[in-house]
Amino acid sequence: MTAQRFFPIAVITLLLLALANLMFGAVSLSVEEVWSGLYASSENHFTIYEYRLPRIFLAILVGAGLALSGALVQGVIRNPLASPDVLGVSHGAGLAAVCYMTFFSGASTRWLPEVALTGGILAALVLWYLCGARSSAIKLAITGVALAALWASCIDFLMLTKPLEINNALLWLTGSLWGRGWTQLQALLPWFALIPLALGLSKYLNLLDLGDDSAISLGARPPYLRLLALAIAVALTAACVSICGPIGFLGLVAPHLTRKLVGGRHQPLLPATMLTGACLLLAADLAARTLDPPIELPAGILTAIIGAPYFLWLLLRMK
Amino acid sequence: MTRPFYGLTIALTAILLLFLGWWNLFAWSVIPIQAQDVWLSLTHFDSQSISHRIVQDLRLPRLLTAMLVGACLATAGTIMQGLTRNPLAAPSVLGINAGAALGMALVSTLPVLYGASSTSLAAMIGGGVAWLLVMLLGSSWRIGGNERGRLVLAGVAISALCAALTKAVVIMEEDQAAGVLTWLAGSLADARWQTWQHYWPFALAGLFGALLLTPSLNLLQLGEEHARNLGVNLLRSKLFGSFLVLLLVGTTISAVGSIGFIGLIVPHMARLLVGQDFRIFLPVAMLLGATLVTLADTLSRAISYPMETPAGAILALIGAPFFIYLVRKRTL
Amino acid sequence: MSLSAHKLSVGYHGQTIVKEMNLTLPDGKFIALLGPNGCGKSTLLKCFARILPAMSGEARWQGKNLHHYPSKQLSKELALLPQTQPIPEGIKVKDLVAYGRSPYTGFWGKLNQQDHQVVEQMMQQTGTFELKEKLVSELSGGQRQRVWLAMVLAQDTPYLLLDEPTTYMDINHQVELMHQLQILNQQGKTIITVLHDINQAARYCDHLVVMKSGELKYQGSPEEVLTSAMLQNVFSLQAQIHRDPVSNTPMCVVEDRSPPSPQHKD
């Protein structure tokens, strides 16, 4: 499939999924009911406007953000197993958020994205310190998952020892879109100003694919480029994690899948990855809400059920 | 090292274990228990005394279970590291814990499977399927196909998959969820005599079987080709070893839930103390495992006294940095 | 005399490999850097390609310190073909060759008419035009080498640096590449390449630079440089110098290995 054909198909899929997300759930609505629900007079206004609509926007943003960070990390580290969650950045950000909420109970959730960002950066620095720049793909991935396990066990530990705050923290960490609304959307939106910056790196990310020596000779400066791209990836991941908690494997799967479809050039790849990520998370959230209504599964569980086998397949294919 | 030194190590570990066990029986109890009450409750049991009752009915089965859990998990880890010749192998790393938990979650929540099997059998089957998948995907069954990093990553992915499925099952069957979540965290707080009775026969059988396996584990360390030349039946050793691992881990998880990292840490500690000979370091590993879990269980009452923190959470906190240390030290 | 080294020292991890070297590379020539393993010829090349910084002294371009130029400006003057190339995933041949135009394109990397022309021309010249829709990862080793050469040529620089381009190639591909480089040199490019094969260098190149232990030992035309004395001093080899019956260039035939001299450290 070429990029020219990918984009229309992906956009249509995205719109259809968004519509399906508006229609199905604990209560199923028809297309007309959805349409009239957008107006305040309708009885479905609350469900549609306050509940499903912001959640769709969030799913699109978070899916796009996580997928883009995955593509940036994979582009920079040239490691097919890399993604923010495999490298422990997501859980680092999550740990910082939980610490903030347990130790400063009553603190405003307004600063949650910044706190999560600090955690994500620290987690990335720890990984960098442990592995250095020239680790093999597998070693980097193992250290990353080990760190992720460490942060996760710290989170578990905090949640088990501070059970009073547990509900608040747990709500943020299930990797779910449940109960998120316009407020969270507002908190998340400023971070997406980073996207144009990320897209602007496409040309130079292409050169990194040729190896550092060629990239330098073609006018790129790999160390700065790496730092900038990783910083953007960490910031986007942290912002998403601070809203939804770690949603596993999305940042790994979406870029891979997209690279298969549109090729490895970053100019089409980065925007296409964002579309794929948005579609995947919308689909996961739709399934999470409709598998067994009225019970909702966290969308992160569904992405893990799809993503983990995909990771295994990648592992098998690696030489 | 000389033989008396082994004896000394074993004796010292055993003494440490006894001391910690005694301490475990009275320390950080919500209802205060005097140290001498512990002794009295064992020699002159007085059913009127609350502290005697607590020691007899709650603390003692809990302590015995903790010791056995430690020994079982350490043994399972030792066997796995021996079979795969991979220093990072352990039940929790290679997906057995998560698989066993999934098996139990399925049996205890899905109405279709109600009573289809006992929980420990379900844990064994779940763990077995996960272990088989990891070994196949990590290409560890093939002769010479022993890529350490790949095996571990396969284990991690299978763990993530099983954990996600377990959570999904638990959330969908809400009425059963509370019970399932408790043992997911891996706590000894609910171990009673009944738990102990269901647990010890299988656990002891597994531990005894592991001792029988040690000579072939020793030979396996020379490499599979050499081991074959020296008359080890590779397939039989691997199958028997895997069966033992599943027996030990499956019964442990169904008794107290998923406790991680003991199987990873303890074999390394034991090897550091007494060297590479499995016949010697396996018993040391059993003692050390029992000591560590006993200690963790005591701490689990201390950390947020008077609340209980699951011992599994404490061990994960110690275990994850150790795992990172191992990854850094070894060339993968 | 655009590329030169002035008291230049280069190395890795605090270890000096090229030692206080003074060297001027003549323009418009096909230059080979020769010397035993570890003599610093690749290190020197990497310093000229800006991959390694100078530890002391200067590598100069047009008389000014090379490392002070803006990266983008130099990328229109000097191109490098590294010794080994990664295999990028999901990249087509035409995309890879187009990456060579990066110094000329805007921030989104869009190609204009002229860029398209150059890319096509370079694919024609290297015989990779019919592969243009294929993925780089699907190519054979020889095809891949040609595609990379096309990419470097699309950079359209007057100077071309190559790091042991023939080392991992079959003999037929080696000959093809050297021939191609010779044509490019005749078209006006200055070509600087690290080589292992002395006879290959003497046959195709018109200027040889011989290094040993980080120092410049000999420099000049093949006639001047390729002598028994040089082979004795630099490679510790006893060799006769004959004429190549095809190209009439000098070639060496090894007689025997000399007893190792005490100061020889390779």
Side-chain angles (χ1 to χ4, degrees), chain A residues 203 210 214 217 264-265 267, chain C residues 80 90 96 99 102 105 108 155:
Chain A
K203 175 181 157 184
L210 307 180
S214 293
S217 147
R265 272 181 77 232
Q267 285 92 335
Chain C
L80 168 78
L96 188 87
Y99 287 175
S102 298
T105 56
W108 190 243
Q155 209 175 329

Side-chain angles (χ1 to χ4, degrees), chain C:
Chain C
M1 302 300 156
S2 297
L3 270 179
S4 54
H6 293 261
K7 290 203 153 192
L8 175 68
S9 298
V10 196
Y12 310 84
H13 313 305
Q15 198 189 349
T16 317
I17 295 172
V18 174
K19 292 160 193 151
E20 302 211 343
M21 186 140 144
N22 286 308
L23 169 73
T24 303
L25 294 172
D27 279 350
K29 298 249 177 183
F30 190 173
I31 303 164
L33 301 180
L34 299 169
N37 283 338
C39 73
K41 51 192 193 299
S42 281
T43 310
L44 180 69
L45 191 85
K46 281 182 181 162
C47 184
F48 280 131
R50 293 164 291 151
I51 289 158
L52 292 175
M55 294 168 93
S56 67
E58 285 182 359
R60 290 189 186 167
W61 163 255
Q62 311 276 31
K64 268 170 61 185
N65 192 332
L66 182 91
H67 293 89
H68 292 171
Y69 275 90
S71 194
K72 195 158 176 172
Q73 188 186 339
L74 273 184
S75 61
K76 295 177 188 171
E77 309 283 353
L78 300 168
L80 168 78
L81 184 65
Q83 183 177 5
T84 52
Q85 297 101 18
I87 303 168
E89 248 190 272
I91 303 285
K92 286 181 183 167
V93 168
K94 59 172 186 183
D95 293 333
L96 188 87
V97 178
Y99 287 175
R101 297 302 294 167
S102 298
Y104 303 90
T105 56
F107 99 105
W108 190 243
K110 195 160 170 48
L111 303 183
N112 63 21
Q113 195 60 44
Q114 193 202 342
D115 294 325
H116 278 297
Q117 261 172 20
V118 175
V119 167
E120 192 167 318
Q121 185 194 337
M122 295 312 164
M123 286 196 289
Q124 300 277 19
Q125 187 163 350
T126 51
T128 52
F129 188 72
E130 49 283 3
L131 303 172
K132 67 174 184 168
E133 294 294 336
K134 284 207 166 180
L135 287 174
V136 177
S137 47
E138 292 168 350
L139 302 180
S140 71
Q143 287 172 328
R144 210 176 283 146
Q145 185 84 15
R146 294 212 302 269
V147 170
W148 275 83
L149 184 65
M151 193 276 280
V152 173
L153 293 180
Q155 209 175 329
D156 198 16
T157 54
Y159 285 75
L160 184 55
L161 310 173
L162 301 101
D163 192 0
E164 299 193 15
T166 54
T167 303
Y168 298 114
M169 286 177 135
D170 298 336
I171 183 93
N172 52 338
H173 290 125
Q174 292 190 19
V175 170
E176 190 187 309
L177 178 74
M178 293 308 286
H179 185 68
Q180 188 116 59
L181 292 176
Q182 213 169 26
I183 294 172
L184 287 165
N185 176 240
Q186 282 155 10
Q187 289 169 355
K189 259 192 214 302
T190 306
I191 292 176
I192 301 153
T193 175
V194 173
L195 285 179
H196 262 301
D197 186 334
I198 299 167
N199 286 337
Q200 200 174 48
R203 162 116 191 227
Y204 292 98
C205 304
D206 48 11
H207 191 89
L208 305 186
V209 174
V210 182
M211 291 170 66
K212 187 185 172 188
S213 314
E215 285 161 16
L216 176 66
K217 290 290 180 195
Y218 297 87
Q219 156 164 234
S221 70
E223 311 283 338
E224 296 159 11
V225 171
L226 189 52
T227 59
S228 324
M230 185 279 281
L231 290 165
Q232 173 69 47
N233 287 340
V234 176
F235 293 94
S236 309
L237 283 175
Q238 279 180 12
Q240 300 170 4
I241 305 300
H242 293 274
R243 287 271 136 196
D244 184 318
V246 179
S247 61
N248 199 30
T249 50
M251 61 181 277
C252 66
V253 177
V254 176
E255 278 179 349
D256 199 2
R257 199 181 185 284
S258 320
S261 51
Q263 70 270 30
H264 186 75
K265 280 200 204 110
D266 280 309

Side-chain angles (χ1 to χ4, degrees), chain A residues 107-193:
Chain A
S108 121
T109 53
R110 162 70 192 82
W111 296 105
L112 215 50
E114 284 78 5
V115 171
L117 174 63
T118 318
I121 291 174
L122 286 178
L125 286 179
V126 171
L127 180 69
W128 196 263
Y129 168 75
L130 288 175
C131 279
R134 301 204 177 276
S135 288
S136 73
I138 289 203
K139 184 162 188 169
L140 193 71
I142 290 187
T143 315
V145 293
L147 280 173
L150 175 60
W151 310 139
S153 59
C154 290
I155 293 175
D156 285 348
F157 188 79
L158 276 178
M159 298 211 303
L160 290 163
T161 50
K162 310 262 179 210
L164 291 179
E165 295 84 0
I166 188 173
N167 282 330
N168 207 4
L170 196 61
L171 189 65
W172 295 98
L173 277 162
T174 45
S176 162
L177 292 157
W178 180 81
R180 273 62 156 183
W182 294 110
T183 336
Q184 282 79 26
L185 193 61
Q186 269 172 17
L188 190 57
L189 215 48
W191 293 92
F192 282 75

